[in-house]
Amino acid sequence: MSDLLRSPLKPLYEEARTFVGYRHIWVYLSNQDLKSRFRRSKLGVLWLVMQQLAFTFGAGFIWATVFGQDPGEFIPFLAIGFSLWAIIAGSMVDGCSTFVVSHGYIKQIPLPQSIFIFRTVLTQIYLMLIGVATAIGVLIAFGKLTPTSVLYAIPGLLIIVGYSYGAIGVVAYLGLRFRDLQHGLTGIFNLLFVVTPVIYPAEILAQKGLHFAVYLNPFASLIDVVRTPLLRGTLADPLSYSISFGCVFLLITFRFVFAARWRRFVPFWS
Amino acid sequence: MNIAIELSDVCVDYPLDVSDAYSLKKALFDRFVSNNTEAASHYRALNGITLQIRQGERVGIIGLNGAGKSTLLRVMCGIFEPSQGVAKSYGKISPLLDFATGLELHHTGIENIKIRLLFLGETIDTIEKKIPEIAAFAELGDFLHQPARTYSTGMFMRLAFAISTSIEPEILIADEVVGAGDAQFADKAKMRLDRLLSKGKTTVLSSHSMELIRLFCDRALWLENGRIRMDGEVEEVIAAYESNAHSLMQGVS
C-alpha cells in the first residue's frame, strides 16, 4: 500500500479520495448549475428536450432528402448523433471555464481543484442523459429500439463519460491560462460538427473513399460506440472502441500532467 | 508540544500580468522569436518565511498594506502553494478571509448558507441545525427564501458575516475581520466575532487594529516586504511597530 502511494498512481488515489470525500459538494454545485440555468423559466429542462426534438425533426426531414436517406431511418440516427455531439463539444468548450467561474471559491477556501472538474463533468453528464433519453424516445416512436440495444450502448456511454472527464480536466487548466482557448474551440467544434459524421452516416464518407476522415477523427469513433449499439442492437466496430479508448486515455494522462504542472498557479490565474 | 502550522523557508511568487504574459498568441510566438528581454515575470510576495505555530497559540499578524499578510494567511490555509519551501498544517483549518465574496446572487439565502458551509467542511446534518440560528442572526426574515440579488447591501453583508462566523474552528485563520452593518448590528457582530475568535483552539489573525491583536493574541508577528521583521510577545512587537511607524511619519513631514 505504501508503495502504491509513492508510485505514479498516487495522483489517481488522491483523485478517488477527493471524488468520494467531497461528493456532497460537487454534486450540490452541479445540481445548482442545472437549476440556475433554468431558473425562473416555466418549462425548465423541457426546453432542452424541445430544442432537440425541433432540430431532429426539422433538420431530419430536410437532410434525409438532401442525403437521399429514408426519414424513418435518418431521424433516429440524427437524434442520437446530435445528443452525443452536445456532450462531446460541450465538454471541451464549457470545460474551459471550469476554474474561471469558480474563482470566488478557489481564492477563499482551500479545496482540491478536482472538485470543480467533477462538477463540470456531472453537469455535462446530466445534459447528455437528457439528450440520450430524448433520442431513445425518438427511437421508440419510430419502433427502432430493441431491448438489447440500450445494454450494448452502456460501454460506449461510459467511454464518453471518461472522455468528458479527461477533456474537461485538460481544458480547465488550458482554458484558465489561455483565455482565448474557449473562443477558439467554439469555432473549431462548429467546423468539426460538419466534418464529423454526426448528421450523415459514416458510410457516406467511406463510399467516397474518405475512410481516413472517419478513422483519424476520434470524435467519429466516440459517436460510433454509442450510436451503432442503439440503432443496430449490436456492439460497435472494435476499432471504434480502440480509438475512443485511446483518446480517453491520452486526455486523462494530460489532465494529470497539467494538474501537476499548473495546480499551484490556479489561484493566481483565476 | 504539538505543532499546528509549520512553514519552512516559504517563498511565494505572484505571476505578473497574467493576461498579457500568458496569452496564447505570445506562447505561440515565443516558439519562433526567442528574444529573452522579458521583464520581471514574478513578484515575490513572501520571502523566506520560517515559523512554527503551536496548538493553542493565538498569533496576530501586523504590517503595512502590501506587506504580505493576506498571502501568508492563504499559504497557511493551503490556498496558495509556496513557490519554494514547505508549508504544513496539522488539523482542520477554517478560513475566514474575504467573507463577502463567494455568495451566489441568484441562490436564495438558504442555498447560500448550505453551499458556503459545505465548502467550509460542515456536514449536511450540522448545517440543517445551524440554519435557524444563522437566519435569526442575519435578520433576514422572509427574505431567507428569496434570491440574494434581491437583498439590500446590509442584508447581504449580515448574511455573509453570519455564515462565515457560524463555524466551529479547530485552526481559525482570519483576515482583517471587521463587523458589518449599522451601529446596532455592529455591536451584535462584535460579540459574535469575539466568541468565534475565542472558540478556535489555534487562531491566526491579521489586523490593522492593535486593540484587536492585544485582546485576542498572545504572540505577534510583524511582516515587512514579505519577510518577518519581528516575532514575539504582543506588547513588544506592537511597540516596535508603532515606533517605527511614528518615525516614518516624522521622516515624511
Side-chain angles (χ1 to χ4, degrees), chain A residues 24-25 28-29 32 35 39-40 105-111 177-178 180 263-265 267-269, chain B residues 15 18 22-24 27 74 77 79-83 95 97-98 101 104 106-107 111 115 118-119 149:
Chain A
H24 291 304
I25 296 185
Y28 187 88
L29 280 176
Q32 289 299 331
K35 255 198 217 168
R39 195 172 291 272
R40 294 205 284 170
Y105 302 126
I106 289 173
K107 283 181 192 151
Q108 307 304 334
I109 306 165
L111 286 169
R177 178 163 176 176
F178 305 111
D180 308 74
R263 191 184 58 219
R264 195 170 78 68
F265 296 107
F268 301 115
W269 286 342
Chain B
V18 179
Y22 294 104
S23 79
L24 191 59
R74 280 183 167 76
C77 287
I79 292 172
F80 290 167
E81 281 182 38
S83 318
L97 301 173
D98 188 0
T101 63
E104 301 271 352
H106 25 251
H107 290 177
E111 285 170 340
I115 204 162
L118 266 181
F119 270 116
R149 67 187 152 72

Side-chain angles (χ1 to χ4, degrees), chain B residues 150-161:
Chain B
T150 62
Y151 292 6
S152 70
T153 317
M155 289 159 78
F156 195 82
M157 292 300 286
R158 288 204 300 268
L159 178 65
F161 180 82

